[in-house]
Amino acid sequence: MLRYIFKRLLIAVPLIFGVLTLTFFIIRLAPGDPAAFFIQPGISPNVAEQIRQQYGLNDPLPVQYIKWLGNVLHGDFGRSFSRAQQPVFDVIAEALPVTMTIAVLTLIANFVFGIIIGVISAVKQNSFLDRFLTVTALFFYSMPEFWLALMMIILFALKWPLFPVSGLNEIGAESYGTFGFIMDRIWHLALPVTVLSINGSAGIARYVRGSMLEVIRQDYVRTARAKGLSERVVILKHALRNALLPVVTLMGSSLPFIFSGALFIEVIFAFPGMGRVTVEAIFARDYPLIIANTFVSGTMIVFGNLLADVLYAVVDPRIKL
Amino acid sequence: MMKTTKRISRLLSISLLAASTLLTACSKSGGKSGALSGAARDSTLVIGMLGDADYLNPVIGASLTSSEITGLIYPGLLQGEFDTKTGLLNYLALEKRLRPSSGNPDEKSPKAALAKTWTMSPDNRSITYILRDDAKWADGQPITSRDFKFAYKLYGNPVIASPRQQFLAELVGADKGQVDFDRAIETPDDTTLIFHFYKPVPEHLALFHTSLTPLPEHLWKNVKPEEFRESKLNQQPVGAGPYRLADWSKQQSLTLSSSVSCNLPKPGNIKRIIYRVIPDYTVRLAQLQTGDVDVVENIKPEDFAAVQKANPNVDIKTIGLRVYDYVGWQNIDGDYYNQTGKIRPNPLFGDPVVRRALTMAIDRQSIIDGYLGEYGVLAKTDISPSLKWAYDDSIKPYGYDPAQAVKLLEAAGWMPGPDGIRQKNGRKFSFVLYTNAGNARRNYACTIIQQNLREIGIDCKIEMQESNVFFQNLQERKLGAWMAGWSIGLEIDPLDVWGSDLKKSRFNFPGFINPRIGQLCELAKNKMRTEDARPYWIEYQKILHEQQPITFLYWIRETQGFSKRIQGAKLNISGTFYNIDDWTLKPSIAP
């Protein structure tokens, strides 16, 4: 298996590199100018030109590409255009932990609620509870996340002010002490994580239900029941374990989705995470930052998929890598 | 198998634990609102912002937010003042004013100025400032004339690419392409600062262009120009103004604290100002409603009622008129111009009679009534009614008159076609109206315009473009008709926007050709007193009104949401935070 992982990682290098090269050309071909902000009355026409010179955008495209390639091979992704010349990895180093926190919390909530709802629906198949959960899950599943987020803000931050509207921490939260600070952080994360996981767990619940229904009809479950085991043991120990096999692989592949979901959530809740960095970088035509973000999310997707494959092999002994 | 299931169940239990802590945490802290309590809240002002500041450095700071914050941290040579009675800009030194006081209600105290006084040479080719000798940077070093000369060299350095290099355009050497700093700026002693110009410059312009913010030479002198933008000093500015930077978490919040040692003129009244970055408009609005934020700029008129109902403690303050929206008509044939560099009239909008008809066909008042209400004013030209000294009151705006518009169109040869759309020489009057995506006001206006034009037989489709794309297309003259807006400068200088040399006048997007405009701008610029240029601006407004190069729609009163606990705020056209260092906060009632 180690050999397999190593091989996959080796293939990932040219893959990510190809993605970066494509991004490099696509963003430069897209209309819009990183120096456009400096084209306005009252600002000398020279400024935009000087700024482009600084950014190295006056060179022909192939020259720009070779220079960029050289820098990237040295591990230098450059400095951000729109964020006061901060090295792009500093920008990402500030943003990534925020997004990771949201992603991990969401992932956990997704699976916990998804599995619970899925199992209940499957066990009580076709009952009122199952129908209710199915309809509710579909209802939330088909709802755009940004809209759901705004509705949640209106309900739980304005109408009933239980949660804060935005931000990672309250102003002056530093003075609360470590525990207070973390509690404040969790309090701020409650709404966004709920929004993200309502959608995700609704999807997972469908998977679990389907997989569970299949397993429940298997002979060994009937055998377990025939042995006189309690229903609880049958469901949780014999059926659920096997039903979870296909679900586990979802974990790796849902990571990129959670990341892209975080995009809207971060803009709406004013979290300085990767999503906001990406959106703002694209609007500002901040080429180095866009490429660095692509690098991070590309790597994430490749590893997510690898993780999914490896998990599959781990949980299902029939699969050999 | 055993092992993996164990792992899964462990994972499950961990996540359950996490979920339950999350839930209890929520119920515990739920209901708590506003973390800053009592005394801390009473001495802290929170401002909600769309985006973060870029550089807290007057030389390279580009965004409005940066300039506002830099203005509080750094000292100024002069104090600027906008006279709401006349619409003229005034400049004050400690012991001298450009114009005498006119009883302007927004008068500023000159005490913040570094200059004691100034003298303009009789030939208007140089200006000499005498600086006060008791001004100090926040680190205790004296502020001298050398700090100004040092800073001006940075402003003029092409490697640094300062967005303010235009201010150096009249200094000796600028006419030859490179300012000769040794001759242009003299510093005979610590408190004397002399600027030399290559041509006579009116006093108000000399004051405007020589009052760029200085930088402390002793801190910055070892920073190489090519590393200027990357310097750590940009994150730790040392100024001399009423506030200093206390904390800056990028993209989250920026905290200023009142600078106790400040004598220019005094430490800021409010102890702490926190600028909080909240990119989403709805959320900024919600924060204002909950009272977590005290100031939110540019609230949409449609949200006033809801905000004030939810929180009666919110006030809406207005400033203006500085911003207007317009519908641009491509006066020239853009494709032909791009291919050949030659000018020929646009087949649809090339005729001023047609453009006038279009203006009459658009019900501008109902756009204002429907969206802006009392916060919109019908626009006649791009001279703002707030600039009273130049504004022509006598021009009657074109009213909404579709019948007259039809007459004009038919006189110009545009007759109804079989499908109801007007046509001339086989060409249909049909076009796309472009605008930038995500602007509710322009969206609203576009829809009304589309209906209005349809009623007189003109087919108009609406297309939204992403802002960057839209702006690039405008610059490349690829759009025939569009809706956009301008924010005007307080000194009138429209050559960039209306000059007939389309290569030089980069913002003449409609390609309006009228050499008289250029002449008028030149004549006005050569007047040594601003007010004396009035006759030229009157003629200028007449030309724009008659020719209708674009359809001016409305001026917008910018509407800012203010918590009522802020007292002493004077807002005017020069900014929402015009006198923020004089604001005070009403203490909350003690529990």
Side-chain angles (χ1 to χ4, degrees):
Chain A
M1 180 139 88
L2 276 178
R3 217 182 111 99
Y4 172 79
I5 295 178
F6 184 71
K7 222 165 80 189
R8 283 283 298 264
L9 287 180
L10 222 58
I11 298 169
V13 174
L15 185 68
I16 290 175
F17 210 72
V19 170
L20 290 189
T21 301
L22 264 179
T23 317
F24 179 92
F25 286 104
I26 287 174
I27 53 175
R28 275 172 176 74
L29 291 176
D33 176 0
F37 181 80
F38 296 96
I39 304 174
Q40 49 172 290
I43 293 186
S44 158
N46 301 331
V47 178
E49 204 48 42
Q50 291 161 359
I51 294 273
R52 269 183 227 119
Q53 186 67 38
Q54 271 195 8
Y55 294 163
L57 297 174
N58 285 340
D59 299 328
L61 209 52
V63 177
Q64 284 186 41
Y65 179 69
I66 289 169
K67 279 188 181 167
W68 171 81
L69 205 62
N71 288 336
V72 166
L73 291 179
H74 286 96
D76 176 13
F77 276 71
R79 286 170 178 273
S80 156
F81 294 170
S82 64
R83 296 191 175 220
Q85 301 275 310
Q86 250 186 313
V88 286
F89 278 126
D90 286 6
V91 176
I92 291 177
E94 281 167 19
L96 197 58
V98 174
T99 306
M100 283 308 277
T101 315
I102 301 177
V104 169
L105 285 179
T106 306
L107 200 66
I108 294 171
N110 270 354
F111 278 88
V112 172
F113 294 117
I115 290 171
I116 294 175
I117 296 171
V119 169
I120 295 176
S121 300
V123 172
K124 313 254 177 209
Q125 196 197 357
N126 294 334
S127 69
F128 171 75
L129 189 63
D130 174 34
R131 296 248 158 81
F132 174 76
L133 285 174
T134 305
V135 170
T136 318
L138 277 176
F139 178 71
F140 282 114
Y141 192 65
S142 44
M143 202 172 279
E145 277 168 354
F146 70 91
W147 185 81
L148 185 61
L150 288 174
M151 289 307 116
M152 296 284 266
I153 288 182
I154 290 173
L155 281 180
F156 297 109
L158 286 179
K159 265 219 145 65
W160 302 291
L162 296 170
F163 295 100
V165 179
S166 78
L168 267 180
N169 274 106
E170 210 50 51
I171 294 165
E174 294 76 13
S175 61
Y176 295 174
T178 318
F179 182 74
F181 185 83
I182 292 173
M183 278 301 144
D184 182 61
R185 173 67 57 93
I186 292 177
W187 182 46
H188 277 76
L189 285 174
L191 272 192
V193 168
T194 311
V195 169
L196 276 178
S197 54
I198 278 186
N199 206 307
S201 51
I204 288 173
R206 303 305 300 153
Y207 268 100
V208 174
R209 181 178 180 274
S211 151
M212 197 68 183
L213 282 177
E214 207 168 289
V215 172
I216 280 179
R217 299 207 176 88
Q218 296 291 328
D219 289 342
Y220 59 82
V221 172
R222 194 179 307 136
T223 315
R225 284 214 178 95
K227 278 197 299 189
L229 291 175
S230 76
E231 186 65 13
R232 222 179 80 99
V233 176
V234 172
I235 295 296
L236 293 184
K237 228 170 165 186
H238 293 251
L240 182 59
R241 260 188 203 181
N242 290 296
L244 280 186
L245 286 186
V247 178
V248 167
T249 58
L250 281 177
M251 204 173 291
S253 51
S254 64
L255 208 60
F257 281 103
I258 293 174
F259 260 71
S260 59
L263 224 85
F264 298 101
I265 292 302
E266 286 172 8
V267 173
I268 290 174
F269 287 95
F271 290 161
M274 289 292 289
R276 215 174 102 197
V277 168
T278 311
V279 171
E280 284 171 7
I282 290 172
F283 280 130
R285 302 291 190 268
D286 187 341
Y287 299 157
L289 197 50
I290 296 176
I291 292 203
N293 284 339
T294 315
F295 174 71
V296 171
S297 54
T299 315
M300 215 66 97
I301 290 172
V302 168
F303 279 105
N305 281 328
L306 179 58
L307 187 74
D309 289 350
V310 171
L311 274 180
Y312 212 69
V314 170
V315 293
D316 192 343
R318 282 168 301 184
I319 291 174
K320 285 262 180 323
L321 292 178
Chain B
M1 189 69 206
M2 212 35 225
K3 229 169 146 191
T4 38
T5 21
K6 221 180 225 163
R7 215 176 295 155
I8 292 171
S9 57
R10 201 186 303 149
L11 193 86
L12 274 174
S13 59
I14 290 173
S15 41
L16 275 173
L17 193 76
S20 60
T21 38
L22 198 84
L23 287 172
T24 44
C26 302
S27 55
K28 245 186 231 161
S29 40
K32 176 175 79 161
S33 81
L36 286 176
S37 53
R41 186 84 184 103
D42 280 351
S43 55
T44 306
L45 175 78
V46 186
I47 298 173
M49 296 187 304
L50 169 70
D52 201 359
D54 46 15
Y55 299 94
L56 293 185
N57 179 333
V59 179
I60 45 179
S63 70
L64 200 60
T65 310
S66 304
S67 324
E68 272 161 5
I69 298 173
T70 318
L72 289 174
I73 297 177
Y74 279 91
L77 180 61
L78 298 168
Q79 188 72 358
E81 172 184 285
F82 181 80
D83 188 335
T84 27
K85 273 196 158 169
T86 58
L88 286 162
L89 279 172
N90 199 2
Y91 297 94
L92 324 172
L94 275 178
E95 295 160 10
K96 185 171 180 171
R97 330 169 40 100
L98 175 63
R99 297 171 216 285
S101 167
S102 68
N104 167 27
D106 291 348
E107 213 153 81
K108 281 218 98 167
S109 141
K111 288 202 184 107
L114 285 168
K116 262 192 191 158
T117 184
W118 73 82
T119 18
M120 198 76 197
S121 71
D123 62 355
N124 277 52
R125 280 172 179 267
S126 66
I127 184 166
T128 307
Y129 290 97
I130 304 297
L131 310 181
R132 55 197 282 174
D133 55 10
D134 60 344
K136 289 191 168 53
W137 294 107
D139 62 358
Q141 296 288 318
I143 303 176
T144 71
S145 54
R146 283 189 310 280
D147 291 321
F148 285 91
K149 181 164 182 173
F150 173 73
Y152 264 79
K153 283 186 182 166
L154 300 175
Y155 283 109
N157 191 329
V159 176
I160 289 173
S162 167
R164 292 175 188 78
Q165 51 194 269
Q166 193 84 324
F167 284 66
L168 281 62
E170 295 86 16
L171 291 178
V172 170
D175 48 337
K176 297 186 187 77
Q178 184 58 51
V179 176
D180 179 354
F181 286 101
D182 288 328
R183 286 173 53 221
I185 306 177
E186 280 184 85
T187 55
D189 59 51
D190 279 1
T191 54
T192 312
L193 176 65
I194 310 169
F195 290 89
H196 296 287
F197 309 114
Y198 72 84
K199 63 173 186 186
V201 175
E203 189 171 11
H204 64 94
L205 188 67
L207 291 168
F208 180 42
H209 277 183
T210 54
S211 53
L212 284 175
T213 309
L215 274 189
E217 180 178 16
H218 62 281
L219 294 174
W220 284 92
K221 64 184 170 205
N222 294 325
V223 178
K224 290 193 201 102
E226 43 293 350
E227 285 159 14
F228 192 77
R229 282 176 183 262
E230 297 157 17
S231 168
K232 284 266 179 292
L233 288 171
N234 288 318
Q235 324 293 330
Q236 306 142 7
V238 173
Y243 284 92
R244 41 178 98 181
L245 182 67
D247 177 59
W248 189 4
S249 358
K250 291 274 169 67
Q251 304 301 320
Q252 286 191 71
S253 69
L254 187 153
T255 309
L256 297 181
S257 63
S258 180
S259 175
V260 198
S261 62
C262 173
N263 61 347
L264 297 168
K266 57 165 189 357
N269 277 348
I270 299 174
K271 284 232 168 54
R272 283 204 307 167
I273 303 180
I274 298 176
Y275 294 84
R276 204 165 186 193
V277 183
I278 311 166
D280 188 78
Y281 169 75
T282 323
V283 179
R284 277 201 301 283
L285 204 64
Q287 295 271 45
L288 183 67
Q289 288 184 22
T290 56
D292 288 329
V293 166
D294 296 306
V295 184
V296 173
E297 292 184 272
N298 295 318
I299 303 218
K300 296 178 196 160
E302 73 243 40
D303 295 323
F304 292 166
V307 172
Q308 286 180 319
K309 198 177 148 216
N311 185 350
N313 225 0
V314 172
D315 216 3
I316 303 291
K317 292 182 187 279
T318 66
I319 52 174
L321 305 159
R322 200 172 172 168
V323 179
Y324 71 89
D325 275 349
Y326 69 90
V327 183
W329 314 113
Q330 192 64 259
N331 288 204
I332 59 168
D333 189 332
D335 295 338
Y336 182 71
Y337 175 79
N338 283 338
Q339 282 159 19
T340 63
K342 289 187 202 125
I343 306 279
R344 76 176 184 202
N346 186 287
L348 295 180
F349 313 113
D351 183 352
V353 175
V354 172
R355 296 196 298 262
R356 230 174 294 151
L358 289 166
T359 303
M360 286 181 194
I362 295 171
D363 190 355
R364 297 181 287 176
Q365 195 56 48
S366 76
I367 301 174
I368 297 175
D369 293 343
Y371 194 88
L372 290 160
E374 57 183 303
Y375 303 99
V377 174
L378 196 69
K380 299 186 285 189
T381 69
D382 62 355
I383 302 274
S384 161
S386 295
L387 304 181
K388 296 193 180 105
W389 66 274
Y391 180 69
D392 187 354
D393 233 349
S394 67
I395 293 179
K396 286 272 158 297
Y398 297 109
Y400 172 53
D401 190 349
Q404 182 62 23
V406 166
K407 250 187 225 164
L408 288 177
L409 282 174
E410 289 182 353
W414 290 97
M415 291 310 189
D419 53 354
I421 306 297
R422 288 182 187 275
Q423 51 184 23
K424 179 180 173 180
N425 307 332
R427 160 124 206 182
K428 274 192 187 181
F429 209 131
S430 164
F431 63 91
V432 181
L433 180 63
Y434 293 89
T435 192
N436 57 320
N439 185 323
R441 184 184 65 235
R442 289 190 189 146
N443 216 334
Y444 180 88
C446 276
T447 320
I448 293 206
I449 291 169
Q450 185 180 37
Q451 281 172 12
N452 288 159
L453 294 180
R454 173 133 281 269
E455 278 158 23
I456 59 161
I458 293 175
D459 173 46
C460 154
K461 292 176 199 73
I462 300 171
E463 195 180 314
M464 311 278 167
Q465 294 188 328
E466 190 248 358
S467 299
N468 280 288
V469 177
F470 177 62
F471 186 59
Q472 185 161 351
N473 284 335
L474 264 187
Q475 287 178 292
E476 291 172 3
R477 298 178 197 288
K478 283 187 181 157
L479 311 181
W482 66 93
M483 177 180 282
W486 281 118
S487 172
I488 56 152
L490 295 182
E491 302 267 5
I492 304 176
D493 184 11
L495 197 60
D496 262 357
V497 181
W498 295 124
S500 297
D501 180 346
L502 297 184
K503 292 226 163 54
K504 261 195 191 156
S505 295
R506 299 167 293 153
F507 301 103
N508 190 347
F509 300 137
F512 177 56
I513 309 289
N514 188 323
R516 182 62 185 158
I517 296 274
Q519 289 167 8
L520 289 170
C521 290
E522 203 51 42
L523 286 166
K525 229 180 245 171
N526 290 333
K527 283 285 172 202
M528 289 293 144
R529 268 165 38 96
T530 323
E531 307 86 303
D532 295 345
R534 178 171 163 90
Y536 305 130
W537 298 128
I538 297 284
E539 188 183 342
Y540 164 85
Q541 288 168 79
K542 290 232 152 63
I543 295 176
L544 288 190
H545 180 66
E546 274 159 24
Q547 299 286 318
Q548 291 287 307
I550 57 181
T551 294
F552 297 94
L553 293 172
Y554 41 79
W555 291 96
I556 300 152
R557 254 182 242 291
E558 291 157 77
T559 37
Q560 329 289 41
F562 267 69
S563 159
K564 282 189 183 152
R565 71 193 192 103
I566 300 170
Q567 296 179 319
K570 290 179 190 167
L571 285 68
N572 74 29
I573 196 167
S574 52
T576 308
F577 305 107
Y578 180 62
N579 71 335
I580 185 169
D581 52 319
D582 289 333
W583 294 5
T584 51
L585 294 175
K586 189 164 71 182
S588 49
I589 299 143

